[in-house]
């Protein structure tokens, strides 16, 4: 199983230690060094990192040649951290980076509870220590028909779930983003049922492709991408990959999700990438890869059919969208 995609164990020496990352951020904040993306875009080369407060000369090392298993190059750190959907901060993709710079990503805990034998509150440091971090270079296909290739670091969600031991009644997993309207101005909007919630069937959650990502390009997770920890489910539309998770609940019934509550006809529970099922307002047959001219064909399950099609055997994937 899963021989096609890359899963590279990352030496801990290759990942900036979380404590060092935070102290660098704090140092920069104290020194009054601001890295607003507009400012940097105007005066820095395109590949300059603006997603985190990295000082001159310390931009993340971006090894050339990172690519997915199909041979498509990874998007730049710059692209990945400056074109974001994170409605808690803004509906404007380019405003998320500057608006999220002061978000407090530490201390952080995730409560795992519900239908489990060992309900546990994990500190982010415990997770980093306990579960070996791997690099996974995945395509991220947004429901809005754009995509990127992102070199995540993280660990399989299954490792965490095994640790808390789901009971035999557990059939679904619900995820919840932090609710902090004082830091996340978008959460004051009455148009969305905050906090952001998502869900997976237990077998989807246990699939080895499903990870909890704690970083990208070897850096701790940048704020605009869901610091300090977010879900990544690469064969589903990007909105299933919920950011800044504080709760994981094992349940018997299918949980409600923010997007299916807002638009049940448009955003289903499954939301598997499917070029044959148009969104009611646009085609899903093709997509725009950020950084490329033109469009490319969208692949069934975002190119991960070999790994995940068996999860949906016998299901009508047009009906169960
Ligand atoms: N998670 C939360 N909490 N809030 C959001 O608005 N947007 C989703 C998903 N996770 C979102 C979220 C959508 S629509 C996409 S496409 C991806 O995050 C984008 O991830 P990225 O900004 O890291 O590329």
């Amino acid at each position: 199983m899963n021989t096609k995609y890359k899963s590279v164990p990352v030496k801990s020496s290759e990942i900036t230690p979380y404590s060092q990352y935070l102290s660098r951020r704090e140092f920069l904040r104290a020194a009054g060094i601001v890295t607003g993306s507009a400012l940097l875009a105007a005066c820095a080369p395109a590949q300059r990192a603006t997603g985190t407060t990295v000082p001159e000369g310390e931009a993340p090392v971006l090894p050339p040649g990172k690519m997915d298993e199909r041979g498509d190059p990874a998007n730049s750190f710059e692209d990945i951290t400056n074109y974001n959907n994170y409605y808690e901060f803004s509906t404007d993709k380019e405003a998320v980076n500057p608006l999220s710079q002061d978000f407090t990503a530490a201390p952080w805990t995730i409560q795992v509870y519900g239908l489990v034998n060992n309900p546990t509150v994990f500190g982010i440091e415990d997770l980093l220590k306990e579960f070996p971090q791997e690099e996974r270079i995945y395509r991220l296909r947004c429901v809005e028909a754009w995509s990127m290739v992102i070199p995540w670091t993280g660990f399989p969600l299954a490792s965490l779930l095994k640790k808390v031991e789901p009971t035999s009644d557990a059939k679904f997993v619900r995820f919840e983003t932090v609710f902090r309207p004082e830091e996340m101005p978008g959460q004051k909007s009455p148009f969305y049922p905050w906090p952001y919630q998502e869900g997976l069937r237990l077998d989807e959650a246990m699939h080895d492709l499903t990870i909890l990502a704690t970083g990208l390009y070897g850096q701790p997770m940048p704020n605009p991408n869901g610091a300090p920890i977010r879900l990544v489910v690469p064969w589903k539309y990007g909105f299933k990959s919920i950011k800044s998770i504080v709760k994981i609940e094992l349940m018997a019934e299918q949980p409600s999700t923010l997007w299916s509550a807002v638009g049940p006809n448009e955003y289903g529970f499954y939301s598997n990438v499917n070029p044959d099922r148009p969104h009611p307002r646009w085609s899903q047959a093709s997509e725009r890869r950020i950084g490329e001219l033109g469009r490319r064909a969208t692949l069934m399950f975002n190119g991960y059919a070999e790994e995940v099609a068996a999860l949906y055997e016998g299901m009508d994937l047009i009906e169960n969208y």
Side-chain angles (χ1 to χ4, degrees):
M1 195 170 77
N2 302 329
T3 49
K4 211 170 61 146
Y5 72 92
K6 293 191 180 169
S7 172
V8 184
V10 180
K11 281 193 230 118
S12 53
S13 60
E14 287 171 18
I15 303 175
T16 308
Y18 198 63
S19 54
Q20 191 184 320
Y21 169 76
L22 288 173
S23 52
R24 196 164 70 197
R25 290 174 68 94
E26 270 140 29
F27 163 76
L28 289 163
R29 196 167 298 146
I33 298 170
V34 181
T35 56
S37 60
L39 177 71
L40 278 172
C43 66
Q47 68 273 30
R48 178 79 168 82
T50 59
T52 55
T53 43
V54 180
E56 268 312 322
E58 264 195 57
V61 184
L62 307 181
K66 273 194 189 292
M67 58 176 80
D68 69 8
E69 82 288 356
R70 306 180 62 83
D72 289 333
N75 282 87
S76 66
F77 188 86
E78 173 84 13
D79 282 347
I80 296 168
T81 57
N82 284 282
Y83 189 83
N84 301 99
N85 273 334
Y86 201 168
Y87 277 32
E88 283 85 342
F89 290 101
S90 176
T91 54
D92 172 353
K93 295 180 187 17
E94 286 165 28
V96 171
N97 181 314
L99 285 172
S100 64
Q101 285 300 320
D102 288 333
F103 177 70
T104 316
W108 196 271
T109 57
I110 297 193
Q111 183 189 359
V112 191
Y113 65 108
L115 300 174
V116 295
N117 291 326
N118 304 319
T120 309
V121 176
F122 294 93
I124 184 80
E125 292 80 3
D126 307 332
L127 297 175
L128 291 170
K129 231 181 279 158
E130 180 142 3
F131 303 108
Q133 306 293 302
E134 306 169 19
E135 178 170 80
R136 300 278 185 104
I137 304 177
Y138 284 162
R139 293 169 291 288
L140 180 135
R141 169 52 159 90
C142 180
V143 74
E144 298 162 338
W146 55 267
S147 62
M148 294 203 202
V149 175
I150 304 183
W152 304 108
T153 39
F155 59 95
L157 172 62
S159 316
L160 178 71
L161 294 179
K162 282 178 198 152
K163 183 116 191 134
V164 296
E165 291 179 19
T167 68
S168 56
D169 294 333
K171 300 284 182 275
F172 293 91
V173 188
R174 186 184 74 88
F175 305 85
E176 196 177 302
T177 294
V178 72
F179 183 65
R180 240 187 244 164
E182 67 288 357
E183 279 195 283
M184 301 170 119
Q187 286 181 334
K188 293 185 178 139
S189 163
F191 299 114
Y192 299 96
W194 307 110
Y196 199 105
Q197 287 190 68
E198 257 309 333
L200 294 173
R201 249 176 24 196
L202 184 58
D203 58 344
E204 297 175 321
M206 295 297 286
H207 194 285
D208 187 54
L209 281 180
T210 305
I211 58 167
L212 284 172
T214 54
L216 58 89
Y217 268 118
Q219 300 282 310
M221 189 64 74
N223 287 349
N225 301 89
I229 187 164
R230 53 104 46 98
L231 185 69
V232 179
V233 195
W235 71 94
K236 293 178 177 282
Y237 291 120
F239 67 84
K240 299 292 292 181
S241 293
I242 178 174
K243 297 178 172 181
S244 304
I245 297 168
V246 287
K247 286 186 185 169
I248 298 180
E249 182 181 6
L250 281 286
M251 305 171 73
E253 307 295 333
Q254 183 176 301
S256 147
T257 70
L258 180 136
W259 284 108
S260 353
V262 171
N265 302 325
E266 304 200 345
Y267 310 105
F269 180 78
Y270 283 96
S271 287
N272 294 314
V273 174
N274 186 345
D276 300 328
R277 186 187 184 277
H279 184 278
R281 290 182 282 133
W282 59 85
S283 164
Q284 293 290 24
S286 72
E287 66 201 59
R288 181 171 61 93
R289 177 68 48 86
I290 299 304
E292 285 182 1
L293 295 171
R295 298 180 75 82
R296 50 166 73 212
T298 287
L299 303 172
M300 187 64 201
F301 295 115
N302 202 21
Y304 300 98
E306 212 177 286
E307 288 86 357
V308 301
L311 291 171
Y312 308 104
E313 225 165 74
M315 262 176 76
D316 180 334
L317 295 175
I318 302 290
E319 285 284 303
N320 296 285
Y321 57 93

